[in-house]
Amino acid sequence: MSVEQIAPLITQALSANKNEQDAAQEQLNVLNPHPDYATSLLSILLRQDAPLSVRQMAGVLLKQFAENSWQDCPHTASKDVVKANILPGLGDSLSKVRSSVAAVVSEIACVDFPDNWTGLFDQLLSMMGTGQPNQVHGVMKVLSELASDITDSQVYTVAPVLFPRLIQLFQTETFGPATRARVLSIFGVFTTLISHMDSVDHSANENLLFPILPGLVDTTITLIGTPVTDKLDYKLQTECVNFLSKLVQTFPKQMGDKVSSALPILWQLLTKNAENHITTVVNNPDYVEDDVDSDGSEIGFGSLVQAIFEFIQALTERKKYKAMIRKVLPDVLFYLITYLSIPEYQMELWNDDPEKYVEDDDEDSMNYTVRTGAMELLIDLATELKTSYVEALMNAITRHISSCANISEGYNWKLYEACATAMNISGDVVEECLEAKKVDFNFGAFYKTVVLPGLNVDRPYLRGRLIWMTSSYIKRLPDEEALNTLLECTCAALKPGTPAPVMIGAMKGVYAMCAELTEPEEKQVLHKSMEHIIPSLFDLAGNMEGDLLMLCLDSLRVSVSFRPDIVAVEADKVNKFLVELFVKHASDTFVVSQVNDVLITLAEIPECRGSIQNNVVPVLLQILRSPKSTSPKKQSEDDEEDMRTE
């Protein structure tokens, strides 16, 4: 096989014609076992006169070969040729080619390093020593992958040679922010590794890390405070803050003075950029989300804010630093509430997809935004600082409401929504402190200045949030008029045609009210309203999917126990409807589980048991017994018997 044979196939694989693509891929698969396959791909990848797209495709194919076929490939000579010739590609003039080469080297190293590629590390160090920016960039991409594969025994040999080189790179402005950020990322991996070694070798930290940390940390703090002139500077600053967080968690004792130096700089970043965040992100309808680097990480102020939040969280979790956070807690919460404000671009996404609003607004959401990061930190601060937190929260909310008294003006409603969100997610700790009389908070005044005006403003995200938040504090409402207002708003919000954010807030509010009102006399508060709530939830469930349906069923489950007589009257209709839902969503284990929970709740109502036996059990048994069933796998051998019993 020659390069001339394989190059046309790579070009064909890039064709816009799918048939041509498939044909080329089929031929490439046939050539894969050939001894010259990998070396031919490498030649194309490194060929300076080849089109970039062709070189990149050769890199992709070679990486796939290294990932899937390298270990079992019998052509040792061919593999040796690849290893002997690939490293110069790390210094290619094109960044995308360097990244492709680094990806291939990393894949091969995962299999062959160190035993079958003994000279790799020395060669990489030699390339670093040239100081040539392209070579250093390529080498750093490889080292960032290799670092996690270094063993305890190798650290003693690698660290003394590698660390001085890395520090030199990190402290040299010639190298770009992306390369310097990788240096810290590599140090972060080694910090974790060496700190774990210390349990066996008590001198590991003393000999390998502690001598270099003071200077390294000083440079890190300086870089955090350096003005941003390019978006990539955010990447470096973010990595700097992440590195400090790791050190605080790993070596809290040694980091005392350094934390004192870093905090004012981080605080300045957080506070000075808050207003800019509101202007350029939150209230900017033309805002475009942060760019993503070659590693898939976002590059922008949002990532830096997340890192700062995590740094504060790391401090809060250490007894040594809690007092430091308590001193500035009112200001911390004031700015966290600012960062809770809903951005315009996010509202557009939620308007198009209400399910995404449910997903993103969950405190356990995996979709990170500045808003969810602020929510997570608020929860952590509340858990760790309790009374101090609640006092500071009341102070922060008062300051915000005082600064934007006219809720109808401009974007002021967003700060009201942010304050309500803070009250919402802090509910358990706030209630605990109020119950124990550890703090003085007039919820009646809060209701009149925040909740009531907000419910009368045509801002769906604000109204939905206020219904949910107020429902969580239903026992704190000042009078019967306030209670009636909440219940009327909730019932109205569950009618078809209601804006999704309001309906979602109402469903969550129903769940919250049911959770709060646990005593028989308390449950009477919802007695009349449930005549509207329960039928409305059933109607909504029939037209919902995914997370919205899950939320609706969850609210329905807790509501049924408040007025069992409502469902008992139409038990057959209710149970047939639930069976239809079960069958319709049989492949969705989460929805099926929620339907099952509702059925279990209904089974506790004596008047519903006969209907379940007649309308539900036969259908479910038929599904469970069907060998071709598309329903979820039966979770236990007792399921069938449970159905009979219920």
Side-chain angles (χ1 to χ4, degrees), residues 9 11-13 15-25 27:
L9 293 176
T11 302
Q12 186 178 334
S15 169
N17 185 306
K18 190 173 187 308
N19 291 332
E20 291 184 7
Q21 284 181 28
D22 293 343
Q25 188 60 58
Q27 292 184 62

Side-chain angles (χ1 to χ4, degrees), residues 156-197:
Y156 293 99
T157 304
V158 170
V161 181
L162 180 61
F163 285 3
R165 297 278 182 89
L166 290 177
I167 291 173
Q168 184 180 6
L169 290 179
F170 186 59
Q171 295 176 339
T172 304
E173 294 183 12
T174 308
F175 299 102
T179 297
R180 298 168 86 184
R182 284 190 187 280
V183 170
L184 275 191
S185 175
I186 292 168
F187 267 119
V189 174
F190 275 102
T191 297
T192 301
L193 174 61
I194 295 171
S195 65
H196 289 164
M197 289 166 52

Side-chain angles (χ1 to χ4, degrees), residues 263-456:
L263 261 183
I265 297 172
L266 292 172
W267 184 243
Q268 190 174 36
L269 274 176
L270 201 62
T271 56
K272 284 199 169 184
N273 283 287
E275 189 59 41
N276 183 54
H277 176 72
I278 294 296
T279 304
T280 61
V281 179
V282 172
N283 297 336
N284 179 13
D286 299 320
Y287 171 75
V288 178
E289 292 186 75
D290 289 339
D291 295 331
V292 175
D293 65 14
S294 59
D295 297 325
S297 303
E298 287 189 355
I299 308 170
F301 180 66
S303 300
L304 177 58
V305 170
Q306 176 188 8
I308 295 174
F309 288 168
E310 290 173 355
F311 180 74
I312 295 172
Q313 181 180 339
L315 294 181
T316 306
E317 292 171 353
R318 295 289 175 178
K319 187 176 181 181
K320 178 181 177 67
Y321 302 116
K322 274 189 180 180
M324 195 180 292
I325 296 298
R326 275 196 177 94
K327 289 180 182 178
V328 294
L329 196 55
D331 287 332
V332 170
L333 297 191
F334 179 82
Y335 286 102
L336 279 180
I337 290 174
T338 301
Y339 284 110
L340 276 177
S341 302
I342 303 175
E344 289 289 305
Y345 82 90
Q346 204 158 25
M347 279 199 298
E348 289 181 16
L349 294 175
W350 293 343
N351 290 340
D352 293 338
D353 184 4
E355 279 195 53
K356 186 162 178 56
Y357 174 50
V358 176
E359 181 184 347
D360 289 348
D361 204 47
D362 191 293
E363 61 190 47
D364 296 322
S365 173
M366 300 299 291
N367 298 328
Y368 179 80
T369 62
V370 169
R371 176 178 166 91
T372 57
M375 290 170 67
E376 185 177 332
L377 181 54
L378 282 168
I379 293 169
D380 289 332
L381 290 171
T383 303
E384 294 290 337
L385 302 175
K386 296 192 181 294
T387 304
S388 300
Y389 170 87
V390 176
E391 292 173 342
L393 178 64
M394 303 312 160
N395 177 290
I397 288 175
T398 301
R399 286 169 61 188
H400 272 299
I401 299 306
S402 299
S403 69
C404 57
N406 185 357
I407 193 173
S408 301
E409 184 178 324
Y411 295 102
N412 282 353
W413 70 268
K414 291 187 179 183
L415 276 175
Y416 276 68
E417 194 277 342
C419 289
T421 299
M423 284 290 290
N424 213 163
I425 61 181
S426 310
D428 290 343
V429 174
V430 171
E431 189 58 42
E432 179 185 325
C433 291
L434 290 175
E435 191 67 29
K437 302 189 184 304
K438 292 181 179 178
V439 295
D440 182 22
F441 176 60
N442 187 339
F443 190 83
F446 177 78
Y447 174 83
K448 290 177 181 177
T449 56
V450 177
V451 178
L452 201 53
L455 290 175
N456 292 312

Side-chain angles (χ1 to χ4, degrees), residues 1 60 68 75 84 101 119 132 151 180 209 271 275 278 289 327 368 395 463 491 515 526 548 577 581 585 587 613 616:
M1 180 193 296
V60 169
N68 302 320
H75 309 302
V101 173
Q132 206 282 329
T151 64
R180 298 168 86 184
L209 278 179
T271 56
E275 189 59 41
I278 294 296
E289 292 186 75
K327 289 180 182 178
Y368 179 80
N395 177 290
R463 287 170 56 204
C491 292
L526 299 181
L548 285 173
F577 169 73
L581 274 184
H585 300 278
S587 60
Q613 189 71 36
V616 179

Side-chain angles (χ1 to χ4, degrees), residues 552-598:
C552 186
L553 290 173
D554 219 18
S555 301
L556 188 57
R557 176 180 59 81
V558 295
S559 300
V560 164
S561 62
F562 273 65
R563 286 292 304 272
D565 57 303
I566 294 177
V567 290
V569 171
E570 297 193 55
D572 286 348
K573 179 181 177 182
V574 166
N575 287 317
K576 287 178 181 177
F577 169 73
L578 291 171
V579 168
E580 289 173 5
L581 274 184
F582 187 100
V583 173
K584 180 181 178 181
H585 300 278
S587 60
D588 189 329
T589 55
F590 296 104
V591 172
V592 167
S593 177
Q594 288 281 36
V595 172
N596 189 51
D597 288 344
V598 177

Side-chain angles (χ1 to χ4, degrees), residues 55 114 188 234 308 456 472 482 503 627:
R55 298 178 72 186
Y234 283 124
I308 295 174
N456 292 312
S472 302
M503 186 182 294

